[in-house]
Amino acid sequence: MSTPRNEFLKQEQFDTIVIGGGIAGAATCFYLAQNGAHAALLDMYDLNTGASGRNAGSLHGQIQYEPFDQLGVDWARTFLPALEFLADSISLWKGLPELLNSDLEISSNGGIMVAEKEEDLRQLQIKVDLENSIGIPSTMLSQSELVAKAPYVSQHMVGAAFCPIEGKANPLLATPAFAKKARELGATIHTGVEVLKIDKMKDSFLLTTTSGDYRCKKIVLTSNAGLSRLVGPLGLDAQVVNSPVQVSVTEQIQHYIKYLFYFTTEKLTLKQAKSGSVLIGGGWPATTHSDGSISVNPDSLRSNLRVALKVVPGLSPVKVIRTWVGMGSQTPDQRPVIDSLPGFPGAYVGIYPSLGFSAGPLLGKTLAELTLNGESERDLSAFRFDRFASPAAALVGSEN
Ligand SMILES: Cc1cc2nc3c(=O)[nH]c(=O)nc-3n(C[C@H](O)[C@H](O)[C@H](O)COP(=O)(O)OP(=O)(O)OC[C@H]3O[C@@H](n4cnc5c(N)ncnc54)[C@H](O)[C@@H]3O)c2cc1C
């Protein structure tokens, strides 16, 4: 007679359990397993059903314009450690196809932030200088340089900033590739298992789940929009606000959009996927209903498409075939949280709000390093869990 699953789980003690099967959790589990840890990954639904499988696939390596414009240069300076993190993660992305033995449809032709107003160009120059100060090789493009690079961009644009390290990858492929490799290295992955409660025992953690109890020495929380629900009962306030946004995709067309595009005046990300479809997003809000469910907001859809056509008018005959929503998250200062959980030695937390697909591989690697060694080679002081206790941190921004 086989052992009932719950009984079996009660007997098995893992070194580390990672809670949340998005890109951050799957990458963490992979790097743990790669370093010989007896690791498990749990997700309440299936892998990649959260933001990691619903995002627009942009690999961001520049300061986003909306928070820069709204929160100012002082905020942008405090964001630089988070930007360095993104740049290093993009470097990591480039080695993933070989490491994971999987084509993740990565390309890194660069990102172009176009402007239609001269005053925005002055702002972009300040932003470029800040990016250059940490080694990101962004440059300004004059109107003629922009036309030479991307003749399909509207002639109303007066110039742009170009960030050569940016690009795209396929969100439907990355998390499953990390999870597959983690399994091959001996990690345990259980889906349909919701963690309901975390208890700290003397030398271990006890997780009460919808599939019985799990025990482990250490835990890593990568539950993103579900973080507050998990740490609230521990007496901790994660200060993470959920932020539902939407993305649209067009029919497949001939390849001609080589770069990731943004627009300074209104929210936009626009890029062409390997399949030929054009992905149009930029953080336009979805509708949240009274029961907490989310759905496409038609006003956001209209605005998003209007902005896309303003930047690339030649897309007007192209059909949008699908729009979907995803639950993103945001911290008060838009920086990530990468830390141990205050008061709970052996528990770690990682969340990179709104740009977390780009950051996911390095977030996983850093969390694994923290879990295995208790410290990281990176300076993580800007990403502490408890920094919001200071009133100066009361900055509010938006999803990108
Ligand atoms: C529409 C949209 C577009 C975006 N576009 C981009 C983009 O182009 N580029 C970019 O860099 N970023 C983008 N982002 C942000 C990016 O997708 C996220 O920051 C990133 O995917 C977060 O990854 P994660 O692994 O931390 O979280 P998630 O992918 O959200 O995974 C968290 C997982 O935890 C599970 N979970 C939660 N609570 C529990 C529990 N109690 N027990 C068990 N499991 C639990 C959930 O089921 C979920 O699968 C976008 C986000 C959205 C929503």
Side-chain angles (χ1 to χ4, degrees):
M1 208 174 94
S2 66
T3 315
R5 188 177 178 206
N6 290 357
E7 287 309 311
F8 173 73
L9 293 173
K10 277 176 190 158
Q11 290 156 19
E12 187 167 5
Q13 168 142 343
F14 295 97
D15 293 338
T16 302
I17 292 183
V18 183
I19 306 169
I23 190 162
T28 306
C29 191
F30 162 74
Y31 285 110
L32 285 169
Q34 195 193 38
N35 283 285
H38 182 38
L41 175 66
L42 308 180
D43 197 285
M44 61 194 285
Y45 301 119
D46 208 342
L47 295 178
N48 214 26
T49 48
S52 297
R54 293 162 181 257
N55 65 66
S58 310
L59 297 184
H60 299 288
Q62 64 179 296
I63 301 166
Q64 300 298 293
Y65 195 79
E66 194 178 2
F68 178 73
D69 192 42
Q70 290 179 0
L71 303 173
V73 178
D74 287 343
W75 167 81
R77 278 200 196 93
T78 68
F79 187 75
L80 290 179
L83 191 64
E84 253 175 326
F85 195 92
L86 285 179
D88 290 346
S89 192
I90 291 175
S91 300
L92 198 56
W93 267 102
K94 291 183 185 156
L96 292 182
E98 197 183 333
L99 185 67
L100 304 178
N101 196 19
S102 177
D103 175 14
L104 306 179
E105 300 184 4
I106 300 168
S107 77
S108 48
N109 294 332
I112 300 183
M113 193 172 276
V114 298
E116 61 176 347
K117 298 182 221 148
E118 293 291 341
E119 70 239 41
D120 287 0
L121 287 182
R122 284 190 287 279
Q123 286 285 90
L124 283 181
Q125 180 67 66
I126 297 170
K127 204 172 81 62
V128 162
D129 289 345
L130 279 170
E131 289 159 9
N132 292 168
S133 75
I134 57 160
I136 293 174
S138 307
T139 53
M140 292 297 290
L141 297 179
S142 66
Q143 192 176 38
S144 57
E145 287 167 333
L146 174 61
V147 170
K149 253 188 181 332
Y152 44 86
V153 164
S154 162
Q155 291 174 1
H156 296 295
M157 301 303 153
V158 293
F162 176 56
C163 180
I165 67 170
E166 294 195 310
K168 63 184 185 223
N170 188 333
L172 298 178
L173 302 177
T175 302
F178 270 120
K180 180 168 180 279
K181 205 69 182 174
R183 259 196 202 104
E184 284 169 19
L185 291 168
T188 299
I189 298 183
H190 288 158
T191 54
V193 178
E194 181 176 4
V195 177
L196 302 170
K197 190 162 164 268
I198 299 169
D199 283 299
K200 176 87 178 101
M201 316 306 275
K202 192 163 169 275
D203 296 313
S204 63
F205 288 91
L206 173 66
L207 305 183
T208 307
T209 81
T210 47
S211 282
D213 295 345
Y214 285 70
R215 288 173 191 281
C216 55
K217 296 187 192 109
K218 296 179 182 174
I219 54 170
V220 183
L221 305 182
T222 53
S223 47
N224 196 25
L227 182 64
S228 298
R229 220 173 45 238
L230 277 176
V231 301
L234 301 174
L236 298 170
D237 183 359
Q239 303 244 9
V240 172
V241 176
N242 289 350
S243 158
V245 291
Q246 57 192 53
V247 181
S248 298
V249 66
T250 71
E251 61 184 322
Q252 295 174 1
I253 56 171
Q254 198 185 348
H255 279 272
Y256 71 96
I257 301 174
K258 197 173 152 196
Y259 306 98
L260 162 62
F261 283 95
Y262 311 85
F263 186 33
T264 56
T265 313
E266 290 182 89
K267 294 172 195 289
L268 179 70
T269 59
L270 186 152
K271 75 192 78 72
Q272 191 165 13
K274 190 178 177 188
S275 66
S277 294
V278 179
L279 284 151
I280 300 170
W284 286 89
T287 300
T288 305
H289 301 279
S290 51
D291 63 356
S293 63
I294 58 178
S295 65
V296 170
N297 179 319
D299 292 336
S300 284
L301 175 58
R302 269 189 291 274
S303 299
N304 200 177
L305 300 184
R306 172 181 54 73
V307 177
L309 290 182
K310 198 167 180 184
V311 173
V312 186
L315 286 175
S316 71
V318 178
K319 291 188 189 70
V320 168
I321 55 169
R322 193 161 72 93
T323 301
W324 65 90
V325 296
M327 187 58 91
S329 57
Q330 195 49 273
T331 58
D333 60 9
Q334 308 218 4
R335 294 202 304 261
V337 173
I338 311 171
D339 200 359
S340 53
L341 215 50
F344 293 87
Y348 298 91
V349 58
I351 177 168
Y352 199 119
S354 81
L355 309 174
F357 181 65
S358 316
L362 186 58
L363 181 54
K365 192 166 188 223
T366 307
L367 287 168
E369 197 186 14
L370 273 178
T371 311
L372 293 165
N373 309 329
E375 58 185 10
S376 166
E377 282 176 4
R378 298 189 76 85
D379 177 4
L380 300 175
S381 54
F383 312 142
R384 289 174 60 95
F385 183 94
D386 58 7
R387 66 182 185 271
F388 307 117
S390 136
L395 299 166
V396 181
S398 63
E399 184 88 18
N400 283 293

